[in-house]
Amino acid sequence: MKQNVGGIDRALRIIVGIVLLAAFFMLPEAGYRWFLLIGIVPLATGLMGSCPAYSIFGLSTCKLKS
């Protein structure tokens, strides 16, 4: 897959993903706990550097390589 996630975007995705997954494990009794697993998505896209939604809409936060 082509990289389309830039540095700051990538770092924010990883941080948000880790925070959501940490909340999943820290809130065992919460009824909405399972929704926190959505943190897998930003974590995965941040680690891979590629976002399928960006590809669909033709977006990119990566700097162009000249």
Side-chain angles (χ1 to χ4, degrees), residues 13-26 36 39 43:
R13 287 170 184 260
I14 292 170
I15 290 168
V16 168
I18 289 171
V19 167
L20 288 172
L21 291 175
F24 172 79
F25 292 107
M26 294 173 64
L36 296 172
L43 181 61

Side-chain angles (χ1 to χ4, degrees), residues 3 62-66:
Q3 283 200 339
C62 266
K63 292 184 179 179
L64 295 175
K65 298 176 182 168
S66 322

